[in-house]
Structures are given as structure tokens and as C-alpha cells.
Coordinates of all heavy atoms in Angstrom, one line a residue:
M1 N 41.8 -10.7 23.0 CA 40.4 -10.7 23.0 C 39.8 -11.4 24.2 O 40.4 -12.4 24.6 CB 39.9 -11.5 21.7 CG 38.5 -11.6 21.5 SD 38.1 -12.6 20.1 CE 36.4 -13.0 20.4
A2 N 38.8 -10.8 24.8 CA 38.2 -11.3 26.0 C 37.5 -12.6 25.7 O 36.8 -12.7 24.7 CB 37.3 -10.3 26.6
V3 N 37.7 -13.6 26.6 CA 37.0 -14.9 26.4 C 36.2 -15.2 27.6 O 36.6 -15.0 28.7 CB 38.1 -16.0 26.2 CG1 37.4 -17.4 26.1 CG2 39.0 -15.7 25.0
P4 N 34.9 -15.6 27.4 CA 34.0 -15.9 28.5 C 34.6 -17.0 29.4 O 35.1 -18.0 28.9 CB 32.7 -16.3 27.9 CG 32.8 -15.8 26.5 CD 34.2 -15.7 26.1
K5 N 34.5 -16.8 30.7 CA 35.1 -17.8 31.6 C 34.2 -18.9 31.9 O 34.7 -20.0 32.2 CB 35.5 -17.0 32.9 CG 36.4 -17.9 33.9 CD 37.0 -17.0 34.9 CE 38.5 -16.8 34.8 NZ 39.0 -15.9 35.8
N6 N 32.9 -18.6 31.9 CA 31.9 -19.7 32.2 C 30.9 -19.8 31.1 O 30.5 -18.7 30.5 CB 31.3 -19.5 33.6 CG 32.3 -19.6 34.7 OD1 32.7 -18.6 35.2 ND2 32.7 -20.8 35.0
K7 N 30.4 -21.0 30.9 CA 29.3 -21.2 30.0 C 28.0 -20.6 30.6 O 27.7 -20.8 31.7 CB 29.1 -22.7 29.7 CG 27.8 -22.9 28.8 CD 27.7 -24.4 28.6 CE 26.4 -24.6 27.7 NZ 26.3 -26.1 27.3
K8 N 27.3 -19.8 29.7 CA 26.0 -19.2 30.2 C 24.9 -20.2 29.9 O 24.9 -20.8 28.8 CB 25.7 -17.9 29.4 CG 26.8 -16.8 29.6 CD 26.9 -16.4 31.0 CE 28.0 -15.3 31.2 NZ 29.3 -15.9 31.5
G9 N 24.0 -20.3 30.8 CA 22.9 -21.3 30.8 C 21.9 -20.9 29.7 O 21.9 -19.9 29.2
R10 N 21.0 -21.9 29.5 CA 20.0 -21.7 28.5 C 19.0 -20.6 28.8 O 18.6 -19.8 28.0 CB 19.2 -23.0 28.3 CG 18.2 -23.0 27.1 CD 17.3 -24.2 27.2 NE 18.0 -25.5 27.4 CZ 17.3 -26.6 27.7 NH1 16.0 -26.6 27.9 NH2 18.0 -27.7 27.8
A11 N 18.7 -20.5 30.1 CA 17.7 -19.5 30.6 C 18.3 -18.1 30.3 O 17.6 -17.2 29.9 CB 17.4 -19.7 32.0
R12 N 19.6 -18.0 30.7 CA 20.3 -16.7 30.5 C 20.4 -16.3 29.1 O 20.1 -15.1 28.7 CB 21.7 -16.8 31.1 CG 22.3 -15.4 31.3 CD 23.5 -15.5 32.2 NE 24.2 -14.3 32.2 CZ 25.0 -13.9 33.2 NH1 25.2 -14.7 34.2 NH2 25.6 -12.7 33.1
T13 N 20.7 -17.2 28.2 CA 20.8 -17.0 26.8 C 19.4 -16.6 26.2 O 19.3 -15.6 25.5 CB 21.3 -18.2 26.0 OG1 22.6 -18.5 26.5 CG2 21.3 -18.0 24.5
H14 N 18.4 -17.3 26.6 CA 17.1 -17.0 26.1 C 16.5 -15.7 26.7 O 15.8 -15.0 26.0 CB 16.1 -18.2 26.5 CG 16.3 -19.4 25.7 ND1 15.5 -20.5 25.8 CD2 17.3 -19.7 24.7 CE1 16.0 -21.4 24.9 NE2 17.1 -21.0 24.3
A15 N 16.9 -15.4 27.9 CA 16.5 -14.1 28.5 C 17.1 -12.9 27.7 O 16.4 -11.9 27.4 CB 16.9 -14.0 30.0
R16 N 18.4 -13.1 27.3 CA 19.0 -12.0 26.6 C 18.4 -11.8 25.2 O 18.1 -10.7 24.8 CB 20.5 -12.3 26.4 CG 21.3 -11.2 25.7 CD 22.8 -11.6 25.5 NE 22.9 -12.7 24.6 CZ 23.3 -13.9 24.9 NH1 23.7 -14.2 26.1 NH2 23.4 -14.9 24.0
R17 N 18.2 -13.0 24.5 CA 17.6 -12.9 23.2 C 16.2 -12.4 23.2 O 15.7 -11.7 22.3 CB 17.7 -14.3 22.5 CG 19.1 -14.7 22.1 CD 19.2 -16.0 21.5 NE 20.6 -16.4 21.3 CZ 21.0 -17.6 20.9 NH1 20.1 -18.5 20.6 NH2 22.3 -17.8 20.7
S18 N 15.5 -12.8 24.3 CA 14.1 -12.3 24.4 C 14.1 -10.8 24.6 O 13.2 -10.1 24.0 CB 13.5 -13.0 25.6 OG 12.2 -12.4 25.9
A19 N 15.0 -10.2 25.4 CA 15.0 -8.8 25.7 C 15.4 -8.0 24.4 O 14.9 -6.9 24.2 CB 16.0 -8.5 26.8
N20 N 16.2 -8.7 23.5 CA 16.6 -8.0 22.3 C 15.6 -8.1 21.2 O 15.7 -7.4 20.2 CB 18.0 -8.5 21.8 CG 19.1 -8.2 22.7 OD1 19.0 -7.2 23.5 ND2 20.2 -8.9 22.7
S21 N 14.6 -9.0 21.4 CA 13.7 -9.2 20.3 C 12.3 -8.5 20.6 O 11.3 -8.8 19.9 CB 13.5 -10.6 20.1 OG 12.8 -11.2 21.2
V22 N 12.3 -7.6 21.6 CA 11.1 -6.9 21.9 C 10.7 -6.1 20.7 O 11.5 -5.3 20.1 CB 11.2 -6.0 23.1 CG1 10.0 -5.2 23.4 CG2 11.5 -6.9 24.3
L23 N 9.4 -6.2 20.2 CA 9.0 -5.5 19.1 C 8.8 -4.0 19.4 O 8.3 -3.7 20.5 CB 7.6 -6.0 18.6 CG 7.7 -7.5 18.0 CD1 6.3 -8.0 17.8 CD2 8.5 -7.5 16.7
T24 N 9.2 -3.2 18.5 CA 9.0 -1.7 18.7 C 7.7 -1.3 18.1 O 7.3 -1.9 17.1 CB 10.1 -0.9 18.0 OG1 10.1 -1.3 16.6 CG2 11.5 -1.2 18.6
P25 N 6.9 -0.5 18.8 CA 5.6 -0.1 18.3 C 5.7 0.6 17.0 O 6.7 1.3 16.7 CB 5.0 0.8 19.4 CG 6.2 1.2 20.2 CD 7.2 0.2 20.1
A26 N 4.7 0.4 16.1 CA 4.8 1.1 14.8 C 4.7 2.6 14.9 O 4.0 3.1 15.8 CB 3.6 0.6 14.0
A27 N 5.4 3.3 14.0 CA 5.4 4.7 14.0 C 4.0 5.2 13.7 O 3.3 4.6 12.9 CB 6.4 5.2 13.0
R28 N 3.7 6.3 14.3 CA 2.3 6.9 14.1 C 2.5 8.4 13.7 O 3.4 9.1 14.1 CB 1.5 6.9 15.4 CG 1.3 5.5 15.9 CD 0.2 4.8 15.1 NE 0.2 3.4 15.4 CZ -0.3 2.9 16.5 NH1 -0.9 3.7 17.5 NH2 -0.3 1.6 16.8
S29 N 1.5 8.8 12.9 CA 1.4 10.2 12.6 C -0.1 10.5 12.5 O -0.9 9.5 12.4 CB 2.1 10.7 11.3 OG 1.5 10.1 10.2
V30 N -0.5 11.7 12.5 CA -1.9 12.0 12.5 C -2.3 12.6 11.1 O -1.6 13.4 10.6 CB -2.3 13.1 13.6 CG1 -3.7 13.5 13.5 CG2 -2.0 12.5 14.9
C31 N -3.4 12.1 10.5 CA -3.8 12.5 9.2 C -4.2 14.0 9.3 O -5.1 14.3 10.1 CB -4.9 11.6 8.7 SG -5.6 12.2 7.1
P32 N -3.7 14.9 8.5 CA -4.1 16.3 8.5 C -5.6 16.4 7.9 O -6.2 17.4 8.2 CB -3.1 17.0 7.6 CG -2.5 15.9 6.8 CD -2.6 14.6 7.5
Q33 N -6.0 15.4 7.1 CA -7.3 15.5 6.5 C -8.5 15.2 7.5 O -9.4 15.9 7.6 CB -7.4 14.6 5.3 CG -8.6 14.8 4.4 CD -8.6 16.1 3.6 OE1 -7.5 16.6 3.4 NE2 -9.7 16.6 3.3
C34 N -8.3 14.1 8.2 CA -9.4 13.6 9.1 C -8.9 13.5 10.5 O -9.8 13.3 11.4 CB -9.9 12.3 8.6 SG -8.7 10.9 8.7
G35 N -7.6 13.6 10.9 CA -7.2 13.6 12.2 C -7.0 12.2 12.8 O -6.7 12.1 14.0
E36 N -7.2 11.2 12.0 CA -7.0 9.8 12.5 C -5.6 9.5 12.5 O -4.8 10.0 11.6 CB -7.8 8.9 11.5 CG -9.3 8.9 11.7 CD -9.7 8.2 13.0 OE1 -9.3 7.1 13.3 OE2 -10.5 8.9 13.8
P37 N -5.1 8.6 13.4 CA -3.7 8.2 13.4 C -3.5 7.3 12.2 O -4.3 6.5 11.8 CB -3.6 7.4 14.7 CG -4.9 7.0 15.1 CD -5.9 8.1 14.6
K38 N -2.4 7.5 11.5 CA -2.0 6.7 10.4 C -0.5 6.5 10.3 O 0.2 7.1 11.1 CB -2.5 7.4 9.1 CG -1.6 8.7 8.7 CD -2.1 9.2 7.4 CE -1.1 10.3 6.9 NZ 0.2 9.7 6.6
L39 N 0.0 5.6 9.4 CA 1.4 5.4 9.3 C 2.0 6.5 8.5 O 1.4 7.0 7.5 CB 1.7 4.1 8.6 CG 1.2 2.8 9.3 CD1 1.3 1.6 8.4 CD2 2.0 2.6 10.6
P40 N 3.2 7.0 8.9 CA 3.8 8.1 8.1 C 4.1 7.6 6.7 O 4.5 6.4 6.5 CB 5.1 8.4 8.9 CG 5.1 7.5 10.0 CD 3.9 6.6 10.1
H41 N 4.0 8.5 5.7 CA 4.3 8.2 4.3 C 3.4 7.2 3.7 O 3.7 6.6 2.7 CB 5.8 7.8 4.1 CG 6.7 8.7 4.7 ND1 7.0 10.0 4.2 CD2 7.5 8.6 5.9 CE1 7.9 10.6 5.0 NE2 8.2 9.8 6.0
Y42 N 2.2 7.0 4.3 CA 1.2 6.0 3.8 C -0.1 6.8 3.6 O -0.4 7.7 4.3 CB 0.9 4.9 4.7 CG 1.9 3.7 4.6 CD1 3.2 3.9 5.1 CD2 1.6 2.6 4.0 CE1 4.1 2.8 5.0 CE2 2.5 1.5 3.8 CZ 3.7 1.7 4.4 OH 4.6 0.6 4.2
V43 N -0.9 6.4 2.6 CA -2.2 6.9 2.4 C -3.0 6.6 3.6 O -3.0 5.5 4.1 CB -2.8 6.3 1.1 CG1 -4.2 6.8 0.9 CG2 -2.0 6.7 -0.2
C44 N -3.8 7.6 4.0 CA -4.7 7.4 5.2 C -5.7 6.3 4.9 O -6.4 6.4 3.8 CB -5.3 8.7 5.6 SG -6.5 8.5 6.9
A45 N -5.8 5.3 5.7 CA -6.8 4.3 5.5 C -8.2 4.7 5.8 O -9.2 4.1 5.4 CB -6.5 3.0 6.3
N46 N -8.4 5.8 6.6 CA -9.7 6.3 7.0 C -10.3 7.2 5.9 O -11.5 7.0 5.6 CB -9.5 7.0 8.3 CG -10.9 7.4 8.9 OD1 -11.7 6.5 9.2 ND2 -11.1 8.7 9.0
C47 N -9.6 8.1 5.3 CA -10.2 9.0 4.4 C -9.6 8.9 3.0 O -10.1 9.4 2.0 CB -10.0 10.4 4.9 SG -8.3 11.0 5.0
G48 N -8.5 8.1 2.8 CA -7.9 7.9 1.5 C -7.1 9.0 1.0 O -6.7 9.1 -0.2
Y49 N -6.7 10.0 1.8 CA -6.0 11.2 1.4 C -4.5 11.0 1.6 O -4.1 10.4 2.6 CB -6.5 12.4 2.1 CG -7.6 13.1 1.4 CD1 -8.9 12.5 1.3 CD2 -7.5 14.3 0.7 CE1 -9.9 13.1 0.6 CE2 -8.5 15.0 0.1 CZ -9.7 14.3 0.0 OH -10.8 14.9 -0.7
Y50 N -3.7 11.6 0.8 CA -2.3 11.7 1.0 C -1.8 13.0 0.4 O -2.2 13.3 -0.8 CB -1.5 10.6 0.5 CG -0.1 10.6 0.9 CD1 0.3 10.2 2.1 CD2 0.9 11.1 0.0 CE1 1.7 10.3 2.5 CE2 2.2 11.1 0.4 CZ 2.6 10.7 1.6 OH 3.9 10.8 2.0
D51 N -1.1 13.8 1.1 CA -0.5 15.1 0.6 C -1.6 16.0 0.1 O -1.5 16.7 -0.9 CB 0.5 14.8 -0.5 CG 1.5 16.0 -0.7 OD1 1.6 16.8 0.2 OD2 2.1 16.1 -1.8
G52 N -2.8 16.0 0.7 CA -3.8 16.9 0.4 C -4.7 16.5 -0.8 O -5.6 17.2 -1.2
R53 N -4.4 15.3 -1.3 CA -5.2 14.8 -2.5 C -5.8 13.5 -2.1 O -5.3 12.7 -1.3 CB -4.3 14.6 -3.7 CG -3.7 15.9 -4.2 CD -2.9 15.7 -5.5 NE -1.7 14.9 -5.2 CZ -1.4 13.8 -5.9 NH1 -2.1 13.4 -6.9 NH2 -0.3 13.1 -5.6
E54 N -7.0 13.2 -2.7 CA -7.6 11.9 -2.5 C -7.0 10.9 -3.4 O -7.0 11.0 -4.7 CB -9.1 12.0 -2.8 CG -9.8 10.7 -2.4 CD -11.3 10.7 -2.6 OE1 -11.8 11.7 -3.2 OE2 -12.0 9.8 -2.2
I55 N -6.3 9.9 -2.8 CA -5.6 8.9 -3.6 C -6.4 7.6 -3.9 O -6.5 7.1 -5.0 CB -4.3 8.5 -2.9 CG1 -3.4 9.7 -2.5 CG2 -3.5 7.5 -3.7 CD1 -2.9 10.5 -3.6
I56 N -7.1 7.2 -2.9 CA -8.0 6.0 -3.0 C -9.4 6.4 -2.5 O -9.5 7.2 -1.6 CB -7.5 4.8 -2.2 CG1 -7.2 5.2 -0.7 CG2 -6.2 4.2 -2.9 CD1 -6.9 4.0 0.2
A57 N -10.4 5.9 -3.2 CA -11.7 6.2 -2.8 C -12.1 5.3 -1.6 O -12.0 4.1 -1.7 CB -12.7 5.9 -4.0
V58 N -12.6 5.9 -0.6 CA -13.0 5.2 0.6 C -14.5 5.5 0.8 O -15.0 6.7 0.7 CB -12.3 5.7 1.9 CG1 -12.8 5.0 3.1 CG2 -10.8 5.4 1.7
E59 N -15.3 4.4 0.9 CA -16.7 4.6 1.0 C -17.2 5.3 2.3 O -16.5 5.3 3.3 CB -17.4 3.2 1.0 CG -17.2 2.3 2.1 CD -15.9 1.5 2.0 OE1 -15.2 1.7 1.0 OE2 -15.5 0.8 3.0
Ligands
ZN1 ZN1 -7.3 10.7 6.9

């Protein structure tokens, strides 16, 4: 098993962890009812429709 030859500094450790913790942007899809961007598999917050039916009443 390979063993590290030198201790890595705090800055290097934090830089690696920082690079690996970059948040991925939320997935987007477009509502077929109103065309607004929405989360996939979620009821549209703009018009309240999902799968062609009104699920929640939106004023
Ligand atoms: Zn919609």
C-alpha cells in the first residue's frame, strides 16, 4: 500500500476538501403547463400542476 511521504499542510487539506464540497446546482425542468422552471418530479410552484392535473390550488 502506498504511504504518503510528506505531511500535507492545512491549506492543502482545506483546498482539497473545499474543491470536493462545491454544491451542485439543483436540477431543473420546465413545467409543460406554464413553462416556468421547476424541480423534476415536483408539483409546479407557479401553477400547481403535475402530470396534467391541478394538484394544489395556486391563487
Ligand atoms: Zn407550472
Side-chain angles (χ1 to χ4, degrees):
M1 182 180 159
V3 177
K5 194 166 245 178
N6 294 103
K7 175 179 179 174
K8 301 297 183 269
R10 189 194 306 168
R12 192 170 172 154
T13 298
H14 287 184
R16 183 184 66 245
R17 290 178 184 173
S18 171
N20 290 338
S21 68
V22 172
L23 294 172
T24 56
R28 300 282 168 76
S29 67
V30 176
C31 176
Q33 190 71 25
C34 65
E36 286 288 309
K38 72 175 192 67
L39 296 173
H41 308 286
Y42 276 76
V43 172
C44 177
N46 187 59
C47 66
Y49 271 68
Y50 187 79
D51 200 23
R53 296 183 294 129
E54 187 178 9
I55 307 297
I56 52 173
V58 178
E59 67 278 357

